[in-house]
């Protein structure tokens, strides 16, 4: 059969592949069968939290214990004790963290954080109404796990995470979870009932390509009313996050963030996804940013979709920039020249640190290393007593996330935000944005001591104009910062001088 398929024309082979895929059950069918098999929707929906006690066995035969806690809708924590090593991981809707055997806390970022939050959301909610929490779920194929054929369902979050869940075709049970971002694989077996719920009594955990841990379930307790604080990152600090932010707000614009004296390169990537989470369209622009003698800036497009501009268009860009520099040679400096505090714009709405300060409460302050510097990190979430007075406030009341502060320079190093609910842009005429929309903004410190933008990402999923469904992801990366000097009518940058 393989020989026959290999000798078939590409068109027929593709048709056969599509036919095979069409025979696979839908994610709804697979997840629905799983929910029925382990206890049913009503019983699972009644489980608000759970605590699992395990014995643990490492690959080198070192034994120990482990405790796993889940809380709906999106919290999880695992604590493992192996000999003298204590390892912990935790996830909430705001953040994901790990505590290694040396007692060092690390807040996860990027793909690792996204994957951890997606897995926790699916597992803690036990797949009940899973469509509320993911951008898409796609049955991608079938594999064998432990001698049983398993359907592969890939779950994709709105911020780009992807996880593979493998469900038994015959047993209907979850057999494996694979996470490429964290290099982790969980294999489940020995399912038995606990208070009417089928639970795996054996879990094999593989991570980092080398470590392997086998867990054997000893006990389960449901609905203990676990505290939300239990899932926060460990914090031995008594830091006053509000006071620190006030100091940052006061000092940052004047002394720490100063990029109006630099030229730099900006790379902008725009991606639009279809309803399966697949890239439908991607466009990349690279700009060289030039500054006139008065500090006004202009971008010169140098490439699009990783291709240099055609000669005619490149010449027009050169002339456009040169004309701008000449026109601004003796003009008054713009009001923002030379400095800039933190400010984020979402459509027609914008906010800064002072807005987050008045709308949020701050939890789990901790000290970490970030960008090879000491940092103070804390989570934030809407204050229970915050009363929105404007549309801008209504969006703030839906934001949760993380902030990294440099305690020496008193500057925001990184900030993340995600919406906990839907909201409308332009009164709903421009876009209805679904929960999970958010942004990441990060700065870096230059050798001269000033902080400049390094990364900005935002994603939005919802319905746009004319009720068209859309998922938009945009990333801007800044690099190649250098002190500038321009001559009127000349768009070229002189080599930077050594500072005294």
């Amino acid at each position: 059969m393989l020989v026959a398929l290999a000798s078939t024309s590409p068109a027929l082979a593709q048709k056969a592949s599509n036919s095979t895929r069409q025979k696979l059950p839908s994610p709804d069918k697979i997840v629905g069968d799983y929910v029925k098999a382990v206890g049913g929707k009503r019983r699972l929906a009644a489980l608000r939290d759970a605590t699992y006690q395990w014995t643990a066995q490492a690959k080198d035969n070192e034994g120990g214990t482990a405790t796993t806690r889940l809380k709906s809708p999106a919290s999880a924590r695992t604590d493992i004790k192996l000999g003298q090593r204590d390892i912990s991981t935790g996830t909430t809707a705001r953040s994901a963290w790990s505590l290694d055997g040396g007692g060092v806390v690390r807040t996860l970022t990027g793909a690792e954080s996204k994957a951890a939050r997606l897995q926790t959301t699916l597992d803690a909610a036990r797949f009940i109404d899973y469509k509320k929490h993911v951008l898409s779920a796609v049955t991608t194929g079938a594999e064998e796990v432990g001698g049983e054929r398993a359907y592969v369902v890939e779950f994709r979050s709105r911020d780009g995470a992807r996880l593979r869940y493998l469900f038994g075709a015959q047993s209907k049970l979850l057999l494996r979870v694979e996470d490429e971002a964290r290099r982790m694989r969980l294999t489940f077996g020995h399912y038995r009932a606990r208070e009417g719920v089928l639970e795996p009594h054996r879990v094999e955990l593989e991570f980092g390509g080398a470590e392997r841990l086998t867990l054997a379930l000893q006990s389960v307790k449901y609905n203990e009313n676990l505290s939300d604080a239990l899932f926060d990152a460990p914090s031995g600090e008594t830091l006053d996050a509000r006071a620190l932010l006030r100091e940052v707000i006061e000092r940052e614009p004047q002394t720490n963030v100063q990029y109006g004296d630099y030229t730099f390169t900006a790379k902008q990537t725009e991606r639009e996804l279809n309803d399966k989470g697949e890239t439908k369209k991607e466009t990349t622009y690279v700009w060289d940013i030039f500054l006139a003698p008065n500090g006004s800036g202009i971008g010169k497009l140098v490439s699009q979709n990783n291709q240099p501009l055609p000669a005619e268009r490149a010449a027009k860009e050169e002339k456009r920039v040169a004309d701008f520099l000449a026109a601004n040679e003796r003009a008054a400096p713009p009001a923002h020249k030379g400095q800039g505090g933190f400010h984020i714009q979402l459509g027609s709405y914008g906010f800064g640190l002072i807005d987050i300060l008045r709308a949020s409460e701050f939890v789990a302050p901790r000290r970490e290393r970030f960008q090879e510097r000491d940092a103070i990190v804390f989570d934030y979430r809407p204050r229970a007593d915050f009363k929105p007075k404007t549309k801008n406030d209504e969006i703030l009341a839906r934001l949760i996330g993380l902030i990294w502060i440099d305690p020496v320079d008193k500057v925001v190093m990184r900030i993340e935000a995600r919406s906990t609910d839907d909201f409308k842009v332009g009164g709903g005429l421009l876009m209805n944005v679904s929960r999970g929309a958010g942004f990441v903004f990060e700065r870096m410190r230059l050798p001269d001591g000033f902080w400049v933008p390094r990364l900005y990402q935002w994603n939005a999923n919802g319905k746009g104009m004319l009720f068209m469904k859309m998922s938009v992801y945009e990333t801007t990366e800044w690099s190649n910062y250098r002190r500038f000097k321009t001559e009127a009518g000349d768009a070229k940058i002189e080599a930077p001088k050594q500072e005294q």
Side-chain angles (χ1 to χ4, degrees):
M1 182 175 179
L2 290 177
V3 174
L5 182 60
S7 62
T8 304
S9 70
L12 290 177
Q14 181 63 45
K15 184 177 181 180
S17 176
N18 292 340
S19 176
T20 301
R21 176 170 293 187
Q22 289 173 2
K23 294 177 182 178
L24 295 171
S26 69
D28 281 356
K29 171 66 174 172
I30 295 170
V31 171
D33 286 346
Y34 164 78
V35 169
K36 291 178 183 178
V38 298
K41 183 174 182 179
R42 178 177 297 181
R43 190 184 298 273
L44 295 186
L47 302 181
R48 300 183 302 276
D49 60 54
T51 300
Y52 301 83
Q53 299 289 347
W54 314 80
T55 57
Q57 191 74 39
K59 186 171 62 173
D60 58 4
N61 291 322
E62 185 178 30
T65 60
T67 302
T68 302
R69 298 177 177 90
L70 290 173
K71 183 173 182 179
S72 180
S75 296
R77 176 169 179 155
T78 297
D79 299 287
I80 302 172
K81 185 174 182 60
L82 288 173
Q84 300 300 312
R85 291 189 297 162
D86 292 322
I87 305 169
S88 296
T89 61
T91 308
T92 69
R94 303 179 305 274
S95 64
W97 55 269
S98 66
L99 177 69
D100 65 20
V104 177
V105 180
R106 181 173 72 96
T107 300
L108 305 188
T109 60
E112 287 185 300
S113 175
K114 295 172 183 178
R117 287 187 280 107
L118 175 57
Q119 182 185 355
T120 298
T121 299
L122 293 171
D123 294 356
R126 299 177 185 269
F127 294 92
I128 304 300
D129 297 327
Y130 76 92
K131 287 186 177 180
K132 292 182 179 179
H133 309 293
V134 300
L135 172 64
S136 68
V138 181
T139 307
T140 60
E143 300 178 9
E144 186 174 294
V145 179
E148 182 179 358
R149 187 168 186 259
Y151 297 123
V152 183
V153 178
E154 185 174 281
F155 294 95
R156 302 166 181 174
S157 70
R158 294 183 176 92
D159 58 6
R162 296 190 175 197
L163 294 175
R164 285 163 43 96
Y165 278 67
L166 284 73
F167 298 87
Q170 182 175 356
S171 67
K172 314 301 183 185
L173 300 175
L174 177 60
L175 303 182
R176 180 170 291 167
V177 176
E178 297 178 348
D179 174 11
E180 183 178 349
R182 291 177 291 169
R183 301 178 64 199
M184 184 179 73
R185 183 167 75 172
L186 293 163
T187 303
F188 306 94
H190 297 184
Y191 276 85
R192 295 198 296 273
R194 294 273 185 162
E195 299 184 26
V197 178
L198 280 184
E199 297 280 12
H201 282 56
R202 178 184 174 89
V203 178
E204 293 184 0
L205 169 62
E206 301 172 67
F207 53 95
E211 294 286 340
R212 179 175 296 176
L213 191 67
T214 301
L215 304 178
L217 185 63
Q218 303 301 306
S219 67
V220 184
K221 294 182 180 179
Y222 299 115
N223 296 338
E224 296 183 289
N225 294 320
L226 299 178
S227 168
D228 289 337
L230 180 66
F231 303 92
D232 290 336
S235 174
E237 301 287 341
T238 57
L239 295 168
D240 187 337
R242 300 186 70 83
L244 177 60
L245 273 183
R246 289 191 186 97
E247 190 173 359
V248 170
I249 291 168
E250 180 181 351
R251 293 183 55 185
E252 180 184 72
Q254 289 76 30
T255 61
N256 297 106
V257 182
Q258 190 165 344
Y259 46 89
D261 289 337
Y262 297 89
T263 61
F264 47 88
T265 299
K267 180 181 179 180
Q268 185 178 25
T269 303
E270 301 172 351
R271 286 194 300 136
E272 186 176 338
L273 309 185
N274 61 21
D275 57 3
K276 294 183 179 180
E278 300 165 336
T279 300
K280 182 170 65 175
K281 180 181 179 181
E282 179 172 304
T283 307
T284 301
Y285 305 93
V286 176
W287 306 81
D288 278 342
I289 310 301
F290 294 92
L291 300 174
N294 72 333
S296 295
I298 185 173
K300 182 180 76 171
L301 184 64
V302 295
S303 71
Q304 183 171 337
N305 296 330
N306 300 316
Q307 297 296 323
L309 296 185
E312 182 178 352
R313 188 177 179 187
K316 289 181 179 179
E317 283 290 294
E318 290 278 358
K319 183 178 186 306
R320 183 176 64 85
V321 172
D323 290 346
F324 175 87
L325 296 176
N328 284 273
E329 180 181 8
R330 295 181 176 83
H336 63 274
K337 179 191 179 297
Q339 58 195 29
F342 166 81
H343 187 84
I344 291 293
Q345 197 75 26
L346 294 175
S348 58
Y349 307 105
F351 56 88
L353 280 183
I354 194 167
D355 299 306
I356 293 177
L357 181 64
R358 65 185 175 84
S360 306
E361 63 177 352
F362 306 95
V363 297
R366 61 264 193 196
R367 294 184 184 272
E368 301 183 17
R369 292 288 292 178
F370 186 69
Q371 293 188 16
E372 300 184 354
R373 292 179 62 84
D374 290 335
I376 294 174
V377 187
F378 47 84
D379 296 22
Y380 67 91
R381 60 193 178 202
R383 289 194 349 252
D385 60 349
F386 178 63
K387 305 298 183 184
K389 297 180 180 179
T390 65
K391 186 62 181 180
N392 210 61
D393 284 354
E394 290 179 13
I395 296 176
L396 281 169
R398 292 175 170 86
L399 293 184
I400 58 174
L402 290 154
I403 298 180
W404 286 254
I405 299 290
D406 186 295
V408 176
D409 289 354
K410 299 296 189 301
V411 68
V412 175
M413 306 170 77
R414 179 183 173 98
I415 183 169
E416 298 181 5
R418 282 174 294 281
S419 172
T420 60
D421 204 352
D422 303 343
F423 66 89
K424 297 179 179 180
V425 177
L429 296 177
L430 296 180
M431 192 172 187
N432 294 321
V433 180
S434 302
R435 73 176 71 184
F439 67 83
V440 174
F441 176 62
E442 187 174 311
R443 292 188 176 116
M444 63 182 179
R445 193 177 193 267
L446 296 178
D448 59 13
F450 289 113
W451 290 81
V452 293
R454 190 195 76 82
L455 173 71
Y456 178 59
Q457 297 175 321
W458 71 272
N459 73 86
N461 172 254
K463 292 183 178 180
M465 298 177 65
L466 303 179
F467 304 102
M468 294 175 61
K469 289 186 177 181
M470 58 190 304
S471 299
V472 181
Y473 293 76
E474 184 174 310
T475 300
T476 302
E477 301 167 271
W478 292 271
S479 62
N480 196 26
Y481 282 92
R482 61 263 190 215
R483 290 280 186 175
F484 81 102
K485 180 180 179 182
T486 58
E487 299 295 338
D490 186 359
K492 300 187 184 302
I493 305 298
E494 294 185 358
K497 299 180 179 179
Q498 295 293 325
E499 295 186 11
Q500 301 298 320

